[in-house]
Amino acid sequence: MNKFYITTPIYYPSGKWHIGHCYTTVICDALARFHRMKGEDVFFTTGTDEHGQKVEKEAAKRGVSPLEFITPLVNEMKEMWSLLDISYDRFVRTTDSAHEECVKKIYEKLYKSGDIYKAEYEGFYCVPCESMWTEAQLVDGKCPDCGREVEKRKEESYFFRLSKYAPAILKHYEENPEFLQPKSRVNEMVNNFLKEGLQDLSVSRTNVKWGVPLPFDEKHTAYVWIDALLNYVSSLGYLTEDDSLFKRYWAADLHLMGKEIVRFHAIIWPAILMALGLPLPKRNYGHGWLLIGGEKLSKSKESGSEELTDPYELIKRYGADAVRYFLLREIPFGSDGEYTNERFLLRVNADLANDFGNLVSRTEAMMLQNFGCVPKRGKEEPLDKELIGLAESAFAKVEDAMNRLNAPEALSAIFALVSRANKYIDETTPWALAKDPEKKERLGAVLYNLAEVVRMTAVLLKPFLINSPALVLKSLSQDESAGFEALKFGLMKGGEKIEKLAPLFPRIDVKKELQAVAEFVRANRKKENPVEKEESVKEKISIEDFDRIELKVGEVVACEKVKKSEKLLHETVKIGEEFRSVVSGIGKFYTPEEMIGKKIVLVTNLKPAKLCGVLSEGMILCAEDENGVLSLVTPEKAMGSGGSVR
Ligand code: ME8
């Protein structure tokens, strides 16, 4: 039996999900289901990429542990996959102890073999992308991937001997044209990275605590990208006592991903596998993006558009099948595709409500009305034979497209059959045949042919849509779990009971719906951006109001951590001749030693309060950046304590 190991990247659980996130996973799911229906031994994995500085900072901002912060977001992601009926066999969290153990063992192995070594390191780090760049790679001094500011960093680090593997990777590309697709990505990798040779890669961090500590040097944590890539083998129990899954499924048959992360999968990952002496994945495919206004739909760039991109809301409004169908059909595979609500609604209306929904409802209604069940197969005329031929040859076209991972083409072959069947209704005019008792036999033959096409279409659609194919099969008293062996014309005997279906995809009034969606998006944006709202709602205050706040310069003369709190520091602040006890939530950004001697600005007339049992008689002012990093507000010129701030 053929095996098929397929993976999605593991996702950053940011909580700001958009329809673009569903793209990779829905395609993988359709492929996994397709191969299962062919009777193959499929293993399909996905998961979450949970370590790194971003998570550490977000958690600190909220005063919770990284795991406490991330777990609800992981659960949200799982819920989204369950709404979309994603049939993964394993969900890997990089915080799972089994994964962490695997990461440690792999680092240990590579350290022992000399593929990982220690050295000093300087570069430019993009915090949101968790990527390090050399100066030459920056574009206008900014991150070449996302265009945001980068931080210059110098640190001691462990390096992976990536440079050693460049020639072998190039050779592998040449000898295995399937390894990296589409072809344009090969050119990109070769021209932008491999041709000039590779530099060794820093694979550990000392400044990121939220990561897997290296077994041979616990000051260092694993670089998040290596940690993440290793999920593809940790998910199979690589280097554990029971590695039967690894033996059964490795090497991966397909890693599918967005084009922005091809570099990691097509250069770093094969080099690591080579260093481990493991066979390389058979195929990597870097798909295109869903765009809004020509830009990648992304969680960090607010588009300000009125498109509804929230998958939960889209599923709630139109159903999981419509969302899956849109993603699988509308975006040309391998290229970018513009996302708009209008395109979504038009596509769903045209194909699912009009073509497929109509074919099913017309065929079933006419059978019920004239026979009360599926009629018997009749004598076939040339027109019938053409339709039957098309139905029987559809699978080969779908299979050919799916072998090339091209779901839009596969669906287009299935919908060519749907259109042909609708045209067949117009050509055979069953409503006219029904009026003439002498033509009852012909009517039966026509409706039988249509019923078989509906049944076969439902089987063909099963990898792509979830609910509607099952409903259609059930309504014709057919086995919902049918595989592709059911794609033979003529399997129904006649006499099958028909259960009347509610419309599978109700027609949408596109104009009205677009208005409703735009209103929904506007209202929700206000809800989601409480900051924006707060700022606009905050009233103007008078100078007298401001005067009621007493602000003074103080000097921190003693400072210690508040017990059992990662976030709180307890300062003793000198204000002129007075000493005050102050508790502040800056423990993630300043050590007690750093605080001592600092001149700070303090609100001195706040009512005293107790925080974690410690008295606080004032509030230290800080500025906060967009990543939640706090920075103390201090007087710009040297001055003593006690001065007032106005
Ligand atoms: O990259 N259109 O995770 P991620 C199409 N954790 N696909 C999109 C998209 C869009 N607008 N936006 C995101 C990561 N995606 C790493 C992976 S794997 C070892 C580590 C796709 O959450 C993206 O291309 O940023 C990728 O395939 C997936 O969503 C997860 O992206």
Side-chain angles (χ1 to χ4, degrees):
M1 197 201 289
N2 267 353
K3 63 98 185 165
F4 188 70
Y5 176 32
I6 176 169
T7 70
T8 75
I10 49 172
Y11 284 71
Y12 297 124
S14 71
K16 293 185 187 167
W17 313 118
H18 56 69
I19 179 91
H21 283 123
C22 305
Y23 187 58
T24 325
T25 302
V26 166
I27 300 174
C28 279
D29 184 63
L31 285 161
R33 286 174 185 271
F34 181 81
H35 284 266
R36 279 192 206 110
M37 280 179 75
K38 273 177 50 169
E40 291 178 14
D41 178 18
V42 172
F43 200 71
F44 167 26
T45 65
T46 188
T48 38
D49 187 352
E50 302 178 27
H51 289 126
Q53 208 162 38
K54 239 185 313 180
V55 172
E56 198 175 315
K57 281 187 176 170
E58 285 299 317
K61 206 162 128 181
R62 291 162 177 80
V64 295
S65 75
L67 199 62
E68 277 169 340
F69 164 67
I70 206 92
T71 301
L73 300 175
V74 174
N75 291 338
E76 260 180 37
M77 170 132 265
K78 285 188 173 169
E79 191 197 326
M80 186 162 85
W81 296 152
S82 119
L83 290 174
L84 284 168
D85 242 312
I86 303 301
S87 60
Y88 56 79
D89 296 293
R90 177 143 302 173
F91 190 99
V92 184
R93 296 183 61 175
T94 51
T95 52
D96 288 340
S97 57
H99 172 80
E100 293 192 351
E101 282 313 305
C102 182
V103 172
K104 287 183 190 166
K105 284 185 187 159
I106 291 176
Y107 266 81
E108 186 87 60
K109 216 169 161 143
L110 296 176
Y111 185 54
K112 282 198 180 135
S113 69
D115 271 300
I116 285 181
Y117 64 93
K118 196 171 172 179
E120 176 121 292
Y121 163 76
E122 193 175 80
F124 296 85
Y125 195 72
C126 174
V127 176
C129 294
E130 318 248 20
S131 290
M132 192 72 147
W133 303 97
T134 61
E135 192 157 17
Q137 285 172 323
L138 301 180
V139 176
D140 298 330
K142 305 229 165 87
C143 171
D145 265 0
C146 70
R148 279 173 285 204
E149 296 291 337
V150 287
E151 295 171 12
K152 192 165 185 176
R153 291 199 180 169
K154 192 170 183 178
E155 58 187 69
E156 177 190 85
S157 174
Y158 286 89
F159 281 79
F160 171 64
R161 290 192 198 282
L162 187 60
S163 58
K164 179 169 136 191
Y165 294 98
I169 295 172
L170 271 171
K171 189 159 165 263
H172 192 81
Y173 284 7
E174 277 162 29
E175 290 171 359
N176 302 275
E178 271 230 314
F179 178 73
L180 177 56
Q181 295 174 343
K183 203 154 175 27
S184 55
R185 312 277 181 243
V186 176
N187 302 338
E188 222 175 282
M189 292 303 115
V190 173
N191 294 335
N192 298 352
F193 305 103
L194 287 160
K195 218 166 59 186
E196 288 165 25
L198 298 170
Q199 289 185 2
D200 287 354
L201 177 75
S202 158
V203 291
S204 78
R205 301 287 181 265
T206 47
N207 61 336
V208 182
K209 298 285 166 259
W210 181 237
V212 181
L214 301 194
F216 44 86
D217 189 345
E218 298 227 326
K219 281 201 309 293
H220 291 253
T221 54
Y223 170 42
V224 281
W225 260 103
I226 304 293
D227 176 11
L229 287 164
L230 296 181
N231 95 85
Y232 298 135
V233 289
S234 76
S235 58
L236 300 176
Y238 175 57
L239 298 182
T240 60
E241 228 163 81
D242 177 8
D243 63 354
S244 51
L245 287 179
F246 182 76
K247 288 196 177 115
R248 179 160 151 198
Y249 291 113
W250 190 259
D253 294 271
L254 175 65
H255 291 315
L256 182 70
M257 76 217 71
K259 60 183 176 182
E260 78 283 13
I261 55 176
V262 164
R263 184 167 69 99
F264 299 95
H265 287 80
I267 295 181
I268 299 174
W269 184 221
I272 292 173
L273 290 167
M274 285 175 184
L276 290 169
L278 294 177
L280 303 195
K282 308 224 174 77
R283 175 147 54 159
N284 284 286
Y285 194 103
H287 64 63
W289 293 332
L290 267 75
L291 310 174
I292 284 196
E295 282 206 38
K296 181 183 177 210
L297 184 50
S298 91
K299 58 205 170 209
S300 44
K301 280 184 199 155
E302 276 299 303
S303 63
S305 82
E306 290 191 343
E307 308 302 344
L308 175 60
T309 60
D310 172 3
Y312 296 92
E313 188 60 28
L314 286 165
I315 296 168
K316 198 164 105 193
R317 280 175 182 255
Y318 314 114
D321 277 358
V323 173
R324 289 176 63 107
Y325 184 75
F326 172 81
L327 290 171
L328 292 165
R329 176 67 188 87
E330 182 74 17
I331 319 295
F333 194 60
S335 318
D336 295 342
E338 192 68 28
Y339 175 80
T340 65
N341 294 137
E342 191 174 12
R343 284 180 82 152
F344 182 100
L345 296 175
L346 290 176
R347 175 58 81 180
V348 168
N349 244 6
D351 295 5
L352 298 180
N354 286 355
D355 287 358
F356 180 55
N358 245 347
L359 173 67
V360 175
S361 64
R362 286 205 288 174
T363 304
E364 294 196 351
M366 288 189 289
M367 288 196 290
L368 273 173
Q369 205 176 354
N370 295 290
F371 298 90
C373 61
V374 176
K376 285 215 166 353
R377 185 170 185 175
K379 219 172 88 212
E380 274 139 27
E381 296 186 0
L383 194 62
D384 308 342
K385 291 212 167 94
E386 190 205 324
L387 179 71
I388 296 169
L390 199 66
E392 287 190 320
S393 63
F395 177 71
K397 292 179 201 149
V398 173
E399 187 178 33
D400 172 53
M402 290 302 265
N403 285 342
R404 289 178 284 112
L405 316 177
N406 198 322
E409 210 183 294
L411 282 167
S412 144
I414 301 173
F415 276 79
L417 174 63
V418 171
S419 293
R420 186 66 196 86
N422 276 321
K423 193 160 160 241
Y424 175 84
I425 298 182
D426 298 339
E427 288 164 348
T428 52
T429 59
W431 56 91
L433 297 175
K435 285 192 189 133
D436 185 344
E438 280 180 21
K439 300 214 167 119
K440 183 105 183 187
E441 208 182 311
R442 176 66 189 143
L443 175 67
V446 164
L447 292 180
Y448 179 86
N449 294 340
L450 285 168
E452 274 294 272
V453 169
V454 166
R455 182 186 66 76
M456 289 170 77
T457 304
V459 174
L460 285 166
L461 282 174
K462 274 181 66 178
F464 308 94
L465 310 183
I466 307 299
N467 304 316
S468 36
L471 286 173
V472 171
L473 289 170
K474 198 161 150 255
S475 78
L476 291 171
S477 309
Q478 297 298 300
D479 181 5
E480 294 158 53
S481 64
F484 292 140
E485 69 288 347
L487 287 175
K488 260 184 247 122
F489 189 90
L491 290 187
M492 283 198 283
K493 306 238 169 322
E496 284 82 0
K497 228 178 100 210
I498 300 170
E499 233 172 76
K500 201 171 171 343
L501 277 178
L504 291 171
F505 299 96
R507 272 198 65 117
I508 303 166
D509 181 332
V510 175
K511 214 169 145 194
K512 260 202 203 146
E513 184 62 16
L514 281 175
Q515 276 173 359
V517 165
E519 262 165 45
F520 175 85
V521 172
R522 276 197 297 270
N524 242 42
R525 188 169 303 138
K526 269 196 209 132
K527 248 194 272 163
E528 268 173 20
N529 288 335
V531 180
E532 205 177 88
K533 198 169 156 200
E534 223 172 78
E535 274 170 8
S536 58
V537 169
K538 262 187 189 166
E539 316 159 30
K540 299 262 182 296
I541 58 167
S542 64
I543 189 78
E544 289 78 21
D545 289 332
F546 181 71
D547 254 344
R548 295 178 57 213
I549 303 171
E550 187 181 69
L551 296 167
K552 289 203 169 156
V553 175
E555 181 182 350
V556 180
V557 290
C559 181
E560 60 183 359
K561 285 194 162 194
V562 172
K563 273 194 204 106
K564 289 197 205 135
S565 166
E566 286 193 62
K567 208 179 133 194
L568 298 180
L569 293 184
H570 176 203
E571 294 93 353
T572 304
V573 182
K574 180 173 180 288
I575 309 158
E577 296 310 313
E578 189 192 352
F579 291 88
R580 287 212 191 173
S581 160
V582 176
V583 178
S584 58
I586 53 177
K588 285 269 169 189
F589 308 98
Y590 293 91
T591 60
E593 294 71 23
E594 272 179 304
M595 288 299 291
I596 296 172
K598 283 236 176 342
K599 293 275 162 45
I600 44 98
V601 174
L602 191 77
V603 183
T604 44
N605 63 339
L606 265 188
K607 284 190 187 133
K610 273 201 167 169
L611 295 170
C612 278
V614 184
L615 177 69
S616 184
E617 307 164 285
M619 184 172 80
I620 294 178
L621 296 190
C622 282
E624 181 179 13
D625 77 6
E626 71 279 10
N627 293 318
V629 176
L630 299 184
S631 167
L632 289 169
V633 173
T634 57
E636 196 232 334
K637 287 189 185 133
M639 59 169 66
S641 72
S644 64
V645 178
R646 284 179 284 160

